[in-house]
Amino acid sequence: MTATPVIRIKTASDQRLEVLDGMRGLAALMVVAYHFFARWAEPQFTPTLYAHGDGLATLLPLQLAGEVGVHLFFLISGFVIMMTLERATGLLDFIVKRAARLWPAMLVCATLSTVIINVSGVGSLYENVTRWQVTPVEYVSSIVFIPPDMTASFLGIQQSDMPRWVEGVYWTLWSEVRFYAVIAIAFWLSPRSLFLWVWAALQGLSFGVDILQQAMGGLPGGLWPLAMLVQPDMLAWFTLGLVSWKWRDLGAHPALLLLATIAGLSVLVGPIISLAPGAIGIPESAARQIIMLLMVGLPFVLFLTGSVLLKPLTWPPFIAVGLASYPLYLFHERPGMVYMYWLNSAGLPPWISVALAIIIVIATALLLHRFAEIPGKRFILGHTLSGAERLQARFRIFRMPGNRN
């Protein structure tokens, strides 16, 4: 007798997670598009470095694609991290799982990028590029998610120019890590019934620092440590993602309404200030920010409402790119510039070269996800998670609220 095959029917939750993976893929591809068509072209950079020219770089949606992709990632992160915290058994459990998620891919991608950048001498391939070579302090700082300028300053290392990340996008991981740290500690220390109010206070503090920064054109030096924690420019995006997750369970809870209001005002403060009395029409800076907000908010709202308009994001190739979105995000910009230069030098037409470069970085990301990110995550979890759980079992203080009995 043959066994009857089990047919698994996808639930609504499965489909929503597929859409979320597809949105990650969309965000990563937007960042790639910005770096391959706009970042190194006029008006962003002079002179244009792309052999395929700057024809697309003048399109506003493409100029905004990088920023939109980053903010979309932050929204998704706030949504997922809130879900992860509620499922975590303790603080150590959360830390280990976040490290396993972030570090293996960063280590491999930063190492590959450094080798390609330094061996190829890409900085000397293009005119008017001051330096792309990666120094030891920049590499080490990047793989531990700490800004290279902070590391160099702390160690007293002098460079001829400002230390920078291995890849430009790595600054966003510094924002992610700070968000993880602050929200994990707030969640760990707060009773469950009070956490949203505590986070509302932190978001309100972030908004206040942002207003002060806008009013003064900067912050006094003494407020720098506070600003580093509450991230006045970025925290609201994570918070809106958090609100989206909690809204599913609590609906129009007073704390959620307060959080949504403060975070919403925080992301709107730039356009609001640009539209101050006396302005004639809508200033270009305000128009750009409004368009950017619509480009970020619309797909996320469609996701939250379960709109069929996002059905294309569940197309298997899109989901595959979404699953590999982290290594794609980490490994594409400067290696891509190397690939384009080499392909152009081989005599290929510029548009064929850029298309092949995109295919190469996507294929590399898929391979890195399969053979580095997943095994690295399993290795870290296999060697550290049980130890973290034993510590939490022995010391209840490390457990999350509701798991300490």
Side-chain angles (χ1 to χ4, degrees):
M1 180 182 293
T2 58
T4 302
V6 176
I7 301 175
R8 185 178 183 275
I9 299 175
K10 290 183 180 179
T11 66
S13 178
D14 293 333
Q15 293 171 348
R16 286 172 69 86
L17 289 177
E18 284 187 346
V19 172
L20 198 64
D21 287 330
M23 285 183 65
R24 285 193 179 101
L26 175 64
L29 291 174
M30 292 178 79
V31 175
V32 171
Y34 170 72
H35 285 140
F36 279 38
F37 295 102
R39 170 64 182 88
W40 301 104
E42 296 184 24
Q44 309 286 330
F45 186 86
T46 302
T48 297
L49 301 187
Y50 305 126
H52 51 275
D54 55 10
L56 295 180
T58 58
L59 300 176
L60 183 58
L62 195 54
Q63 292 178 16
L64 297 175
E67 191 174 359
V68 170
V70 167
H71 289 148
L72 195 53
F73 270 126
F74 286 170
L75 277 171
I76 295 171
S77 184
F79 184 90
V80 171
I81 291 305
M82 192 66 249
M83 174 181 66
T84 305
L85 279 169
E86 292 186 339
R87 296 176 179 177
T89 58
L91 184 63
L92 301 181
D93 171 72
F94 175 80
I95 292 172
V96 167
K97 289 179 178 177
R98 282 296 91 197
R101 172 73 177 90
L102 294 182
W103 196 68
M106 172 60 91
L107 176 63
V108 175
C109 291
T111 301
L112 282 176
S113 289
T114 297
V115 170
I116 290 173
I117 292 167
N118 286 0
V119 171
S120 70
V122 63
S124 63
L125 302 180
Y126 293 99
E127 296 180 5
N128 205 35
V129 174
T130 55
R131 179 181 67 83
W132 279 0
Q133 298 295 100
V134 180
T135 67
V137 69
E138 291 169 342
Y139 170 72
V140 173
S141 294
S142 294
I143 64 173
V144 294
F145 309 102
I146 297 175
D149 59 325
M150 289 178 59
T151 304
S153 177
F154 178 76
L155 297 176
I157 297 174
Q158 299 294 325
Q159 287 191 190
S160 58
D161 56 0
M162 177 72 73
R164 64 198 75 184
W165 299 98
V166 170
E167 288 268 42
V169 296
Y170 289 8
W171 71 266
T172 63
L173 275 298
W174 171 233
S175 287
E176 291 267 1
V177 169
R178 283 180 288 162
F179 167 64
Y180 296 165
V182 173
I183 195 171
I185 292 173
F187 191 82
W188 175 53
L189 294 177
S190 306
R192 285 288 178 93
S193 60
L194 295 179
F195 167 72
L196 291 176
W197 295 105
V198 171
W199 194 254
L202 287 170
Q203 181 58 64
L205 182 60
S206 176
F207 182 44
V209 173
D210 192 18
I211 292 295
L212 183 62
Q213 181 176 256
Q214 297 275 356
M216 298 181 64
L219 287 174
L223 289 180
W224 177 80
L226 175 62
M228 186 174 67
L229 287 176
V230 299
Q231 302 194 67
D233 297 328
M234 298 297 164
L235 189 64
W237 294 104
F238 295 109
T239 295
L240 289 172
L242 177 160
V243 169
S244 301
W245 169 257
K246 293 301 296 179
W247 200 279
R248 299 162 66 256
D249 300 326
L250 301 179
H253 186 281
L256 283 179
L257 292 173
L258 179 61
L259 265 175
T261 300
I262 299 172
L265 287 173
S266 186
V267 300
L268 290 171
V269 67
I272 290 172
I273 290 176
S274 299
L275 292 171
I280 300 176
I282 300 179
E284 181 181 355
S285 60
R288 288 175 64 92
Q289 291 181 70
I290 291 169
I291 293 172
M292 184 273 293
L293 293 175
L294 291 173
M295 290 175 66
V296 176
L298 182 59
F300 203 72
V301 169
L302 292 175
F303 162 70
L304 295 174
T305 57
S307 173
V308 296
L309 294 176
L310 294 185
K311 184 69 174 176
L313 295 183
T314 62
W315 186 41
F318 234 128
I319 294 176
V321 173
L323 292 172
S325 60
Y326 184 43
L328 177 59
Y329 185 74
L330 296 177
F331 181 83
H332 71 270
E333 183 183 0
R334 291 180 186 174
M337 295 295 290
V338 174
Y339 301 151
M340 281 189 277
Y341 185 90
W342 285 345
L343 291 167
N344 288 323
S345 298
L348 292 177
W351 284 101
I352 298 295
S353 296
V354 69
L356 287 176
I358 292 172
I359 292 171
I360 291 170
V361 295
I362 292 175
T364 303
L366 293 171
L367 292 171
L368 290 174
H369 172 67
R370 174 66 180 84
F371 296 106
E373 185 179 16
I374 293 176
K377 180 179 179 179
R378 288 174 178 166
F379 179 84
I380 292 176
L381 292 178
H383 287 77
T384 60
L385 188 57
S386 59
E389 290 173 345
R390 286 195 296 271
L391 280 173
Q392 289 174 174
R394 183 173 181 181
F395 301 103
R396 294 182 179 180
I397 187 63
F398 290 123
R399 301 181 193 177
M400 292 299 188
N403 294 318
R404 291 174 182 166
N405 296 328

